[in-house]
Amino acid sequence: MNKLSRLFIVSMLAVPMLSACSDSDDSGTELGPLTPDEQAFGKATGNFTAEEWYPGGKMGTTEKASYSAPAPAVTSQAGMEEEFIVGEGFFEKLYTFEQEPRKGLGPAWVRNSCIACHPSYGHGKRQTEYRANQIGNGYLLVIYHPDNNAYISEVTGMPQTQAMSPFKAPINEDLISIDWKTVTEMESGLPMQFEDGEQYALIYPEVRIPQEAFNTDPKPTNYDVRLESTIGVYGTGLLDAITDEDIEAQWKAESKYVELNPAMWDKEAGKFKASAYYSAGYNDTGTFHGDHGPLKRFTYAMTRGSLQDGAGANAIWNITNVTRSDRHWLYTTPAWAKAQSKDAEVIAYIKQHGAAESSILHPYYADGTDEGIAERVNEILSCSSIAKKETFDKYLFNGAPYNGKEEMNDKQYYQFMVWHRGLAVPAARNLNDADVQRGKELFTELGCAQCHRPSWTTGDDNMWIDASIKAYAQSIGKDASKMLPRFANQTIWPYTDMVQHRLFMKNDIRTGWCRTTPLWGRGLSRQLTGNDDRLHDCRARTILEAIMWHGYSKQSDGYRATEKFYHLKKADRDAVIRFIESI
């Protein structure tokens, strides 16, 4: 869709374009082998098996220090690596309003590129102010009603702070403040100094968005704000290949010892509720999951699954507001549409610049009267659901300059998903080191492995296939189930139980429930992204801080393990950290 403002073009000329992976970029693709001891790599050593060098299994692990390398499941199939490289570009490069092949930005958006949120494909970096165009800012604003934890309806679930001229962003980011507070004492009573005298410090963010920052009608009331940062995108195809049945078995086993999220888990029946699955009718009716859709398993809140409707597949639409064949509508809200239609400056600008059919504003011009423009602006910007599809098609896809074309076509989306599903996990490092082996032993003894489950075995990987990829496969006469990387029957080592837990931290995540984050490859974060920030809002600046946040409250599912860690001597604490850095 042709949505580019001339002012935006000028401003983007000053922004360095992010290149695809090369020998010299910061993605880490060509940084060489991960361990200096090549004789030990891939062999059993101490308390590590030979296969633990390969966290993603033989088909999902790269031996390069990289979050961006293709998995062997990609490189072993003819032609798939080329598709992977093209798909990589949709992640790495900036989106605009009209520049092929990454067009479609606007009329409002969260970020203008994916990699801006995932520096070097990794975890977002801690920020002291909210600026959408700050490279490395992986933050999403979580704005919700504290009495029921529901997102506010006045802005999108992933709130937007950018908009094309003359529209005003749903939220004025200049008015957003992030204040970092220091914990003065642990609610659990654990001292902030270890028994050997070493001290640690914990910080957490307080975020404020005043009501006047919202360019909506009405403006929201009774709301609170939290931050959630992106995590690494590598290895998500492997997590998608774990069977629903195995994940349910893990939840059932843990339900005997800890309380599980009642929105997901039926305690009496000992199984997932229907709300834990996507409906088989969501965008598509074809599924390998019987009478329901795939199990939700991605995002902190476990709101997405399979990967083809997971966080990345969803974000390529709603972060950049790029439409595709199965999402031929805008990511907007009626409250924002109404505010823009009542804004005299917006109406006047469209009246002056939107008369020509070649203008990007022409669909909003209507009959050229103030009343006609206002009505059209409200109508188009309200096209935020399938129910509005006919109106959206009428004004944006059936007339010049849009020519009835989606912004990301089915082939491009397929290429993006080849890349997304085909990202490898970096191999483990230094497993032959005595301290790393001691750290592994302690990790289990402390109880860390109860939530950070070391290994899984993937199933046959009969993945759920979405409508867009099915349509593309049909157009070229191929079997859609054989067109994406598959990771069948792989022993993998992600160090997550795929279960939601509560840590009861100060200014905690919305709802308090958070999926156990995989630890694989995170030890390379400092090398590849320049930071080691951890936890859902980057409040932990180091692994040590992340561990101690697990013990902030005695109610935390991780308190007992943290308490035991606290009483370790420094050499053993360092060994645990060394182990986490190596897997």
Side-chain angles (χ1 to χ4, degrees), residues 130-351:
Y130 187 91
R131 292 292 181 268
N133 293 327
Q134 175 67 43
I135 300 299
N137 172 20
Y139 283 143
L140 293 174
L141 299 167
V142 180
I143 311 173
Y144 65 101
H145 297 297
D147 53 347
N148 61 8
N149 286 321
Y151 291 111
I152 66 172
S153 61
E154 289 79 9
V155 296
T156 53
M158 294 185 178
Q160 300 153 325
T161 62
Q162 303 288 297
M164 62 178 279
S165 180
F167 303 120
K168 294 169 183 174
I171 302 174
N172 180 356
E173 67 177 26
D174 291 335
L175 300 181
I176 301 171
S177 64
I178 302 175
D179 295 320
W180 286 92
K181 305 292 186 180
T182 301
V183 172
T184 56
E185 62 180 0
M186 301 281 273
E187 187 180 281
S188 64
L190 285 177
M192 302 199 70
Q193 177 175 296
F194 293 104
E195 293 165 340
D196 52 25
E198 181 184 6
Q199 295 181 331
Y200 65 93
L202 302 181
I203 60 174
Y204 63 92
E206 285 188 352
V207 191
R208 182 175 182 270
I209 304 178
Q211 193 179 55
E212 59 266 28
F214 292 89
N215 292 310
T216 60
D217 185 5
K219 295 181 184 293
T221 59
N222 181 33
Y223 60 89
D224 206 345
V225 187
R226 292 291 188 269
L227 297 174
E228 289 184 9
S229 187
T230 50
I231 64 173
V233 292
Y234 57 88
T236 43
L238 290 154
L239 299 180
D240 198 38
I242 300 173
T243 68
D244 294 359
E245 293 76 16
D246 283 351
I247 295 177
E248 184 171 70
Q250 180 70 23
W251 280 63
K252 187 171 185 176
E254 293 193 28
S255 69
K256 301 174 184 178
Y257 310 105
V258 296
E259 182 181 354
L260 300 180
N261 186 353
M264 296 278 289
W265 186 253
D266 187 329
K267 185 176 182 179
E268 292 186 2
K271 64 180 183 180
F272 282 119
K273 292 183 176 180
S275 57
Y277 298 92
Y278 266 133
S279 165
Y282 186 85
N283 286 340
D284 185 31
T285 57
T287 175
F288 291 95
H289 298 263
D291 59 355
H292 57 69
L295 177 67
K296 298 174 184 176
R297 63 185 67 196
F298 298 110
T299 77
Y300 297 114
M302 295 187 77
T303 56
R304 291 276 160 187
S306 75
L307 192 63
Q308 290 178 67
D309 203 19
N314 188 52
I316 201 69
W317 166 64
N318 62 19
I319 294 293
T320 56
N321 223 337
V322 171
T323 61
R324 60 179 191 252
S325 66
D326 63 336
R327 298 195 183 192
H328 241 342
W329 63 92
L330 297 176
Y331 189 55
T332 55
T333 65
W336 180 60
K338 184 178 180 181
Q340 300 312 292
S341 71
K342 295 170 66 175
D343 190 312
E345 293 179 352
V346 170
I347 304 304
Y349 192 95
I350 294 174
K351 191 172 186 177

Side-chain angles (χ1 to χ4, degrees), residues 19 22 57 67 134 136 153 226 229 288 303 375 385 387 454 460 486:
S19 63
S22 65
Y67 292 153
Q134 175 67 43
S153 61
R226 292 291 188 269
S229 187
F288 291 95
T303 56
E375 181 179 355
S385 69
D460 292 336
R486 296 179 62 180

